[in-house]
Structure formats: C-alpha cells, structure tokens
Amino acid sequence: MEQHVNLSEVRPPPTPYRLERPVYDEAYLHSQLLHPKDRSPKTVRQRLAKHCSSERAKAIALSFLPILTWLPSYPVKEYLFGDLVSGLSTGVMQLPQGLAYAMLAAVPPVYGLYSSFYPVLLYTFFGTSRHISIGTFAVISLMIGGVAVREAPDSRFTIQAPNATNGTYGDFIDTEARDARRVEIAVVLTTMVGLIQLVLGLLRFGFVAIYLTEPLVRGFTTAAAIHVFISQFKYLLGIKTDRFSGPLSVLYSLAAVLTNIATTNLTTMFLGVVCVVFLYGVKYLNERFKKKLPVPVPGEIIVVIVCTGISHGLSLSDNYQVDVVGTIPTGLLPPSLPDFSLVPNLVADSVAIAIVGFSMGISLAKIFALKHGYSVDGNQELIAMGLCNFVSSFFQTFAITCSMSRSLVQESTGGRTQIAGLLASFVVLVVVVAIGFVFQPLPQTVLAAIIMVNLLGMFKQFRDIPGLWRTSRIELTIWVVAFVASVLLGLDLGLLVALGFAILTVAVECKGIKIFHSNSSIYFANSDLYVNALKEKTGVDPLHLQAVQKARKRKLKESAGKERRNQKSSEKMNNELNSRHCIDFLQALASDSEEAQFLEPLGPVHTLILDWTPVNFIDTVGAKAIKLMIKEYAAVDVCTFIAGCSRTLLDELRTLQFFTGVVTPEMIFPTVHDAVLHCQRPKQARFEEQEQF
C-alpha cells in the first residue's frame, strides 16, 4: 500500500545550540568578571603605552575637536554653495546686531564687532551643532550691561569742566574713562563666564541645564525683553537719562524717560520710528514669503547703510544733535590680560550668565539637531562656549551665546555646517579691519530700532500663558514667578528667585495623596508582600482606620442616647406644644452633629495612586489581592487609583475580569500625572465627569 507523505510536515532537524561554560558562583563573578584585578603592566613606559595609544589619542582629539569628524568628508559640491549663501546672510545680520547689542552691554559699539568675530571663529572648531549662530545676544548683553553700570556708574566719573559756550564750570561725565572701565568689567566678567563653562564641561556637568525648565527660561527671557525694550526708549527718542541697574531698575528707567519726555529730539524720534516701521514690515514679508524668497531680505543692513549715508550727508550729529555711534577704530586689538582685581564682585553674576548662556545655546542646538537628524553633546557644548568666552576675552570681547534670529537665518538659507559660521565671522573681520570707520555716522536710534524689532519674537512668549493655564498650573506659576521676579528684582536676582521657586515646586507633596511605586510584577508569590509594603510605606492601614471609624460610630451612638434622655426630661418640664418644638430642634441638632462627624475624614490621606509602570504581569491571585485591598480602602473612604498600565497588562486585567464590583475602568489612568490631576478635582466634579461618560 502506497504511503503519502505530507511534505509540509517534513522539517529539517533544528539547528543545535550548545553552550559550555564552568559553573559560576558569586565569588567568581565578583572578583573575575565584575571587578577584575588589574593585571596591566606596572612600568611607567608600559602604562603610557596602554593609556596613550594612537586610538585613544584619536578618540580624544575627535571629541575635543568635533570639526575633525566632518570636515575631512565635507561634500564640497553638495554643501559649499548653501554654506556660502548662509554665511554671507548671517554675517550681514551679525554687523548691525553686534553694534546694537554693544549698547546693551554698556560698551562702545566696536566691541560688539569683536564679539561677533572671535567667538564665532572658535565655535567652528569646538562646537557640535551645525546650525546655531554664535555671537552677541540681547539677554546676555543686557545682563553684562547691568553689571557694568552697577560697578562703574556715571556718578563715579563726573568732573567739573568749563562750558565752551559761556565759560562757566559745570558737571560733565568723563565718558572716555567711564567706557574704558566698563570694558574692563565686561572683559573680566566674560573671562569668568568662560572659565566656569569650561570647568563645568570638563567635569561633565552638561546636565545642569535641566534645572532651567522651559517655562522658567521663557518667563525669564520675556522679562529680559521688557528690560531691553524699555532701556532703548531713550536712544529711540534721543533723551538723556541715567542708566539704572538692580531691583526696580526697569521702573526707574521708565520713569526717567517719562520725566524727560519734553526733551525728545524730534529728528531722532522720526528717524527711529521710520526704521521700526520699515524693519517690522521687512520681518513680516520675510515670514510670509519665506518659501518663495531664496534668502531673507536683509532689512537690518539696509537701514544701517541708508541711515549712515543720510546721517553723513545731512550731518545729523552737528546740525540736529542726533547721537551717533562715534569712533570705530580700524583693526583688531592686541591680546591683553583682564584686570583680575575685579573678580570678587563678579562671581555671582558670572555664574548666572554662564548658566543662562549655556541653557539657551543647548536648547536651540537640540532643536536643530532633532530636526536634521544628528546629535549634540551637552558637555562638549559647555566646553565650546567656555573656550569661546574665555579665549576671546583676552581680545576685548564680552560674553556670547547663540541668537535665535540669526540661527534661523543660518539654517533657512541653506547652511549645512559651521562653515557658514566661519564665513560669517570673515564678513565681520573685513568690516573691522577695512571699513569699520564707514559706520561712525550711524545714528544710535537706528540701533535701538533694530533691537526693539528683534524683541518681537520674545514678546510672543506671552502666548504661553493661556496654554499653560489649560495644561499645567504649576508650570504657569513658574513662568509668572520668573517673569515678575526678573522684571522687578533685576535679571540676576530674578533668576535666583525663579530657580528657588522651581525647585520648591518639585519638592512639594500633593496633600492627601500618596503615590506607591514598586519595581515588580504582582503574582501569587508576592501579592501579600505588595499589599503589606503599600500599607507600611504609605502609613495608611485599613484596619486602623476601621477602628477609628467604629470608635466614632460608638461615640455618636452614645451622643444620640444622651440627646434622647434630654428630650424625655424636656417633655416633663414643658407643655406638649413647646415640647414638640424642642424635640424637633434637638433632633435637627443631633442630625447636624452626626453628619459633621461622618463628613470628617478618618485620616490625612484620602487617595492612593498605584504606579504600575514597571508591572509587566499579574495573575489571578494578584488581581484578587488588589481588588480586596481596593475594597478595604473604599470602606474607610480612601480612594485607590492605578496609573501607568501597559496595554498588555490592561488586556490581562480584562481577561481576569478585574473591572467588576468596586473596580471600574475609570480608576485607571495612563500616567501618574493624569491620576493626580483627577484626584485634585472636587469629588462632585469627578462624579459628574464619570456620569457624562
């Protein structure tokens, strides 16, 4: 008889898998595998050969000089044109912003050009981001300017000199000596900022930025925008006022402008307002037609060139008393040592500027890295910014970080690498070395207009408030505290207050809520241990609460008996009508007292949240133990919720018919935060929400 073989059932023999090893014990694992004894060579030469190998040296060089990882394989045909256009566009923006932000830093404008060259050049070699534009930035410049004005106020440089008009003596400010001192302060501050960032980077402290949460940074920078905006009114209007620093400085500055509003220079005001309108229109057109424009219209350099020509042609400084930039020396300054005698007064300020500068830089770098599919190293970014500030300070620069507006231009115009930043620095270098003197007639009101228009992006951060109101009241509070404190107390003290408040919000425990987290699944062998650990760690024992509940009921029963005896005695003393009113009154009184006693919670904890994020499995015994525990807690008015269940675990719970009786799906939340927010709502609101579903 012929046999038919099903070929589908004929399978080749399985591939053998054999593993042979000695039997391990803990002593062997600990001594030989986890903590092996060092059997490396002991001579100095052998140790150097081991730790200073060519591979190790190459790895260190690549990590310290990230440019070596991409420059050798730089695709010239594919990247060079985009980097060239991007570098020229960014460099054109660097020029007016460098001049303008030097005013915020309370130093002569040429130092803004120095700060737009040296740090940008250095970041090309040491930075890990391919798209951010390093250089002057409004917030950091304002913080530096506040310190410079505090340490070198105008009053310290007031001298008596004869008036050229009538020959009488009066008080005048020695601006040359004042500016020189403020430059020294800004340079020393920059040296310390760079040193702090460099040390933090070498110690692998790149994680410090996590303490500056996004709401804190956005509230702080919005407050800084208020400071910057108000500080530019006097330049926009041509008003002579003192510069203030410290707590309430923004109010003093505004009051000074309003007090002297009658001295407004109409020519200065007209020119400044026209520039503001033009720059705003250009910014609007660039945003609306950014997909059609090959490169953004360089509105800032246009107003700088045009207004410089008008000022020179009409002699605005001599004929209309319009304040201009003034002397811009040609060429670069030789390196010099900072005045380290100023260090003791600048420690706290340097720490604040170092952290804020790095935080803003790394946040923007991560955004571009995520968009373009590469990674940035937080520790190397600290080292890069530290070197940019520290080394550049010996060439008379002030502290820098990345600029959002320039970074967006550098990325949107086709920039692929920091070759674009290198070209931008060369554009600035050409101006400093060859044609810087051309911008000497530039009116200061034009620079004020550039600064004010560039702040529009920061003022849009006010839109965070309604969004945070809907999503997280705690983060909204952090935003508001950072904003108000920084506006009223100044940027340095405001940042300190905001940091302290943000840390306090993390440490505060939700009143009446206990969150229990255990790194284990729940099954027959450990279900009792889980329940016992929950009771021990939270301090909420249903048996104890039941005892309290019984004692309360017994006390209420005794109180009710006493009231009844009082009612009987009242019947003998009063007539029937009065007795009836008294009985009704006493019954109502007893009822109110009993209700009040029952409404009083049995303990300080009213809600337990079980964090089941690490729970991968639950069996029948475990499910029954949890249901019984939930029922016990419900009997003593303690609500239990579960958070963080995976979809697989939820399917297991449904299979085990977990959602019956006292347990419902409404008690399960995707995250612990969802559960906490639900528990913080009034009970009536919770019940109404559940009824809607």
Side-chain angles (χ1 to χ4, degrees), residues 43 46 59 85 93 115 179 242 245 270 286 309 451 475 651 660:
T43 65
Q46 290 172 330
V85 174
M93 285 188 70
S115 302
D179 291 347
D242 294 332
S245 63
F270 175 77
N286 284 336
I451 293 172
E475 291 186 335
D651 291 339
T660 57

Side-chain angles (χ1 to χ4, degrees), residues 3 47 52 88 112 189 231 257 265 267 279 287 299 315 317 409 446 448 500 526 589 605 615 646:
Q3 294 182 348
R47 289 181 179 179
C52 300
L88 293 175
L189 188 62
S231 71
V257 170
N265 186 308
T267 304
L279 290 171
E287 182 65 25
S315 298
S317 177
V409 169
V446 176
N526 74 341
L589 184 63
V605 178
V615 177
S646 65

Side-chain angles (χ1 to χ4, degrees), residues 135-214:
T136 57
F137 185 58
V139 175
I140 301 298
S141 300
L142 183 66
M143 295 177 74
I144 295 170
V147 177
V149 172
R150 184 192 70 205
E151 297 296 322
D154 290 342
S155 58
R156 189 177 299 176
F157 300 92
T158 302
I159 59 174
Q160 282 196 341
N163 192 315
T165 304
N166 52 26
T168 60
Y169 280 81
D171 291 338
F172 296 90
I173 298 176
D174 187 353
T175 56
E176 186 175 347
R178 180 201 63 186
D179 291 347
R181 187 59 172 172
R182 289 180 177 177
V183 168
E184 291 178 351
I185 294 168
V187 167
V188 174
L189 188 62
T190 303
T191 305
M192 296 175 64
V193 168
L195 191 60
I196 290 170
Q197 291 176 331
L198 185 59
V199 170
L200 289 177
L202 293 174
L203 295 178
R204 322 301 289 176
F205 269 68
F207 66 88
V208 295
I210 64 175
Y211 294 102
L212 291 176
T213 64
E214 183 179 1

Side-chain angles (χ1 to χ4, degrees), residues 314-322:
L314 299 179
S315 298
L316 295 182
S317 177
D318 297 330
N319 297 334
Y320 299 94
Q321 289 73 51
V322 174

Side-chain angles (χ1 to χ4, degrees), residues 6 13 26 93 151 336 357 425 464 506 526 608 639 664 685:
N6 188 352
E26 177 57 25
M93 285 188 70
E151 297 296 322
S336 60
S425 68
D464 295 347
V506 176
N526 74 341
L608 297 176
C639 300
T664 63

